[in-house]
Amino acid sequence: MLPKTPLIIDCDPGIDDAVALLLALASDEFEILGITTVAGNVTVETTQTNARCICELGGKPDVKVFAGCPRPMLREPIVADHVHGANGLAGVTFPEPQMPLQGQHGVDFMIEALVNTTDKIAIATLGPLTNLAIALIKAPHIVDSIDRVVMMGGALGAGNVTSSAEFNLYADPHAAQVVFQAGADQDLDLTLITLDVTHQALATPERRAALAALDNDVGTTVAQMLGNYGVREQQEMRFAGPPLHDPCVIAYLLKPELFEVQRCFAAVETQSALTQGRVAVDRTGESGQPANVAIAQSIDADGFYALLTERLAKL
Ligand code: BDR
Ligand code: CA
């Protein structure tokens, strides 16, 4: 058996975060060291509760869940409850989780895990980058123990919060820039999956039907949540179903061959009100700055849904 990849998942569940967590929980390739949550789609109080509900739904109540930062570094907090519902999970109700919330702060857990590890740890970020940025500021040497960071965030084309910006980078642009800077200054291995790619991974009615047909509660619950996810966005964008942004991160860790990536230099706009949260990309090398991030360019969407469906069937 191949050695498992030690993994920390930082997230703000969130419907697509929930599906990403289930995909990770179903995948034996990972040793999930902990799930940290952050304020994003909904408050951190709700994201940590939702993460525990999802671990229990996936039959993995022993996974450790930690609450992280309750607000972004500098900007005023925003939420996306109009996309994810007031409870962050499309209004689908879950039993009160029985598994405990860990007492340690999510940022301190991340640092402690990275300081004490003998193997390098991968980090998946599915929400605003506040927790990772604060960890990097508090303990910069942890980069030596990070295998890679795979992030969902940013838009090269149109954003989904403003014309320029995608939610995760808009919600905490300063944190995002701290992480991108660590890619430039400390060789932190970064991969970014932007909206341009996640908008290719649509949960069409056929793909949702395949999930609903799984012989377990997970399939039924996921199909129920996806039926009520980002309905306004789908109409405005004329999408055939909701984009599954965050599960793309876990899929990338499992099967990078489903994606094409390009390495380049990128930075996050923090100043201008008009473009705050925009990821500015130098594709040609004109800035003279060495590449600090691999940016996904495309996804094999059928391969992605085949992987997701096959894995969720195991829960
Ligand atoms: C990202 O924002 C959130 O609403 C989703 O969970 C995803 O992480 C997409 O822009
Ligand atoms: Ca998210």
Side-chain angles (χ1 to χ4, degrees):
M1 210 172 69
L2 288 170
K4 291 181 187 253
T5 302
L7 177 66
I8 295 173
I9 306 174
D10 186 57
C11 58
D12 61 335
I15 300 164
D16 58 326
D17 301 73
V19 180
L21 289 176
L22 291 164
L23 176 58
L25 293 171
S27 297
D28 289 340
E29 290 90 335
F30 300 128
E31 178 193 0
I32 301 177
L33 303 177
I35 295 171
T36 54
T37 77
V38 68
N41 287 321
V42 280
T43 64
V44 74
E45 186 52 37
T46 306
T47 59
Q48 61 84 356
T49 306
N50 289 351
R52 289 185 293 137
C53 292
I54 296 302
C55 287
E56 290 189 353
L57 172 68
K60 311 276 173 172
D62 296 335
V63 173
K64 294 187 173 136
V65 174
F66 302 81
C69 294
R71 53 153 294 141
M73 289 176 70
L74 289 178
R75 62 156 298 140
E76 74 282 5
I78 58 162
V79 290
D81 52 359
H82 58 292
V83 179
H84 296 266
N87 78 343
L89 296 175
V92 175
T93 51
F94 290 81
E96 189 67 27
Q98 299 303 302
M99 60 185 278
L101 175 68
Q102 300 297 310
Q104 193 176 24
H105 192 281
V107 170
D108 295 328
F109 160 72
M110 245 185 217
I111 293 172
E112 193 178 285
L114 288 160
V115 166
N116 291 330
T117 191
T118 44
D119 299 320
K120 286 194 169 193
I121 296 173
I123 300 180
T125 71
L126 315 179
L129 286 154
T130 321
N131 286 339
L132 179 56
I134 300 286
L136 289 168
I137 290 168
K138 203 171 170 188
H141 56 286
I142 59 175
V143 291
D144 298 338
S145 303
I146 300 178
D147 176 46
R148 65 210 130 124
V149 180
V150 184
M151 311 173 278
M152 193 280 132
L156 305 180
N160 60 357
V161 183
T162 66
S163 303
S164 298
E166 175 278 336
F167 179 81
N168 289 341
L169 297 201
Y170 185 77
D172 197 342
H174 304 91
Q177 181 48 21
V178 167
V179 174
F180 277 58
Q181 197 67 48
D185 295 344
Q186 295 178 274
D187 277 336
L188 180 59
D189 186 329
L190 301 176
T191 302
L192 184 70
I193 302 184
T194 67
L195 282 187
D196 313 272
V197 166
T198 65
H199 283 176
Q200 297 168 31
L202 301 178
T204 59
E206 297 74 30
R207 290 167 175 164
R208 295 206 301 270
L211 292 165
L214 296 178
D215 191 19
N216 60 22
D217 287 349
V218 169
T220 324
T221 310
V222 165
Q224 204 183 346
M225 289 193 291
L226 294 183
N228 199 17
Y229 176 31
V231 176
R232 200 178 72 196
E233 183 189 28
Q234 282 176 60
Q235 282 162 354
E236 282 169 10
M237 303 286 289
R238 300 185 184 197
F239 283 157
L244 283 195
H245 311 284
D246 295 338
C248 290
V249 169
I250 306 299
Y252 182 83
L253 286 161
L254 289 167
K255 279 196 164 192
E257 63 273 20
L258 292 174
F259 298 80
E260 279 175 342
V261 300
Q262 183 189 7
R263 283 194 59 75
C264 52
F265 178 75
V268 181
E269 172 62 54
T270 56
Q271 301 295 319
S272 136
L274 187 63
T275 57
Q276 198 173 57
R278 179 79 181 169
V279 55
V281 175
D282 169 9
R283 285 180 182 277
T284 60
E286 72 249 35
S287 66
Q289 307 259 31
N292 62 340
V293 59
I295 301 187
Q297 307 291 315
S298 64
I299 180 172
D300 168 358
D302 286 335
F304 164 73
Y305 276 95
L307 174 72
L308 179 67
T309 310
E310 167 224 309
R311 294 299 168 99
L312 296 198
K314 295 183 180 176
L315 288 174

